[in-house]
Amino acid sequence: MALLALPAAAQVKSGSEFLSPGMARQQADETRNPGFFWVEQGEGLFSARPPQGQACIVCHAEPRQSLRGAATRYPQVDAASGKLLNLEGRIEQCRVERQTQPAFGHESAELLAMTAYIASLSRGLPMDVATDGAAKPFYEAGKAFFERRQGQLNLSCQQCHDGLVGQKLRGDTISHGAGTGYPAYRLEWNSVGSLHRRLRACSLGVRATQFDFGSPEYLALELYLAGRAKDLPVETPAIRR
Amino acid sequence: MFNARITMPAEAKAGEIVEIRVLTRHPMDRGGQSDGKGGTVPRKILNRLTATYAGDQIFRFDMHTGVASNPFVSFTTRAVATGDIVFEWREDGGATYTRTSRLTVT
């Protein structure tokens, strides 16, 4: 198939390059990008003292320096458990184990806000996840998922996000699926949502199984996408249609 | 959840035209969906934004259900005297929210 023969990772571009000029301006303009409300909320939560336990900022002083670049290295394998964690997973781990508070929960306003805030501290820095060593099996699983045809439409992620890049689909322009702007503000959601929420939309689009937020399948996929996006800048909070 | 980002210069010369940008966080829920108990969710939107400066209303924006969530609006005014610009949003059900920004006129 001609579609599958196209070169991949070499020229992966950010989803922002496929935005209309008006939306690209809105994304870049902090006074008009609603995603910054979530960033601001996350910044507030980061300093807020929970009923018991310590505020995040007690252990992570000067987050603008100490957590700058953190988002570029996620997903990553957690050394202690051997599990693959994305940024949300790492935040929840700190929340539960170190802050001794109940987990925020997937797609909760708090987790989205905290993730958007911490990712925003890496804006402009190049993505740099490890795909070798302990990460390799996860990366390979993500790659296999990306290339596998699925759903009633029998399409792979790759057929759209490599083969049909630049083509229109229901008013969208298909990008490489880099995912470097998430959590992102999507007009269709009227809100900020996670990368996994976007992945669920793509799975539904081909009428395939929608995996859960934080599922091993989507985590592996997220690692593969992040590996493809190597050196692209973090753009959270991006704006998408 | 309400929040607002107001962007405008902190200072202006008398007579100068200043641009004011207001981005608001609000779901602008147009209502009508099922509430799961046989009824419908009532409409809950911000229905009006006003801005007052130096004793005068300088801006009014009536909003309807067609306005998307997290609305953005920008307008201009003429700097006349040092003072507060007071922004007030009115929500369905009667709640109001206010924010204040100081403009120093030189």
Side-chain angles (χ1 to χ4, degrees):
Chain A
M1 285 208 41
L3 296 174
L4 297 175
L6 287 171
Q11 65 229 42
V12 166
K13 288 191 203 136
S14 159
S16 302
E17 303 228 3
F18 299 83
L19 293 175
S20 68
M23 277 182 64
R25 277 195 300 276
Q26 189 186 2
Q27 172 174 294
D29 183 349
E30 289 201 23
T31 70
R32 289 180 51 203
N33 178 343
F36 283 98
F37 283 127
W38 278 256
V39 170
E40 198 180 305
Q41 186 189 355
E43 187 174 12
L45 281 170
F46 198 82
S47 307
R49 202 167 176 272
Q52 315 97 35
Q54 286 163 314
C56 314
I57 201 158
V58 172
C59 295
H60 299 285
E62 304 286 349
R64 278 171 194 277
Q65 279 103 53
S66 63
L67 288 174
R68 183 166 162 76
T72 64
R73 298 185 292 271
Y74 284 83
Q76 65 178 223
V77 177
D78 179 43
S81 66
K83 285 192 182 148
L84 187 65
L85 291 183
N86 61 2
L87 190 55
E88 285 92 337
R90 179 67 84 196
I91 291 169
E92 290 284 48
Q93 183 187 55
C94 262
R95 170 89 178 155
V96 174
E97 293 175 13
R98 303 204 172 84
Q99 208 182 22
T100 63
Q101 291 295 303
F104 290 124
H106 290 298
E107 239 43 34
S108 62
E110 290 80 8
L111 185 58
L112 289 169
M114 193 67 96
T115 311
Y117 167 60
I118 291 175
S120 78
L121 299 173
S122 297
R123 271 165 75 80
L125 296 181
M127 285 301 290
D128 190 21
V129 291
T131 55
D132 53 359
K136 191 150 202 263
F138 296 106
Y139 180 80
E140 294 299 336
K143 181 172 192 285
F145 191 138
F146 192 80
E147 292 171 356
R148 188 184 332 122
R149 287 168 169 265
Q150 48 190 299
Q152 283 175 33
L153 302 192
N154 199 29
L155 283 169
S156 68
C157 315
Q158 185 176 39
Q159 282 174 294
C160 282
H161 289 296
D162 276 337
L164 296 172
V165 171
Q167 311 270 337
K168 294 278 180 196
L169 184 69
R170 282 187 241 102
D172 277 324
T173 308
I174 301 179
S175 72
H176 290 99
T180 44
Y182 287 76
Y185 186 86
R186 219 180 139 199
L187 303 186
E188 191 184 312
W189 297 333
N190 277 323
S191 170
V192 162
S194 68
L195 181 65
H196 290 196
R197 185 169 178 193
R198 173 68 243 191
L199 296 182
R200 284 172 61 84
C202 281
S203 294
L204 184 68
V206 295
R207 300 199 208 117
T209 307
Q210 286 181 296
F211 293 93
D212 285 340
F213 297 105
S215 62
E217 289 81 2
Y218 283 163
L219 285 171
L221 208 39
E222 181 175 353
L223 177 63
Y224 178 66
L225 297 177
R228 270 167 51 99
K230 185 171 167 52
D231 292 335
L232 287 182
V234 174
E235 295 179 286
T236 309
I239 297 192
R240 296 290 183 261
R241 275 188 70 231
Chain B
M1 161 154 351
F2 175 90
N3 199 354
R5 284 171 90 87
I6 295 162
T7 311
M8 55 174 250
E11 271 186 28
K13 292 195 167 59
E16 201 180 317
I17 301 289
V18 293
E19 190 195 9
I20 299 170
R21 303 166 144 233
V22 184
L23 179 66
T24 311
R25 181 174 182 178
H26 195 279
M28 301 292 280
D29 194 340
R30 67 191 67 186
Q33 314 90 311
S34 163
D35 65 3
K37 290 176 250 163
T40 53
V41 175
R43 184 185 102 159
K44 193 169 192 184
I45 66 169
L46 296 170
N47 55 53
R48 178 173 291 178
L49 164 63
T50 54
T52 314
Y53 169 47
D56 288 327
Q57 189 176 92
I58 54 168
F59 179 74
R60 186 175 118 184
F61 178 29
D62 285 318
M63 292 177 270
H64 308 281
T65 45
V67 175
S69 313
N70 307 307
F72 172 80
V73 64
S74 78
F75 59 95
T76 56
T77 194
R78 189 179 296 276
V80 290
T82 293
D84 286 339
I85 302 186
V86 180
F87 301 84
E88 186 178 280
W89 291 259
R90 199 176 72 185
E91 188 180 67
D92 288 346
T96 58
Y97 305 93
T98 56
R99 290 286 190 277
T100 302
S101 289
R102 186 114 188 127
L103 182 65
T104 302
V105 176
T106 56

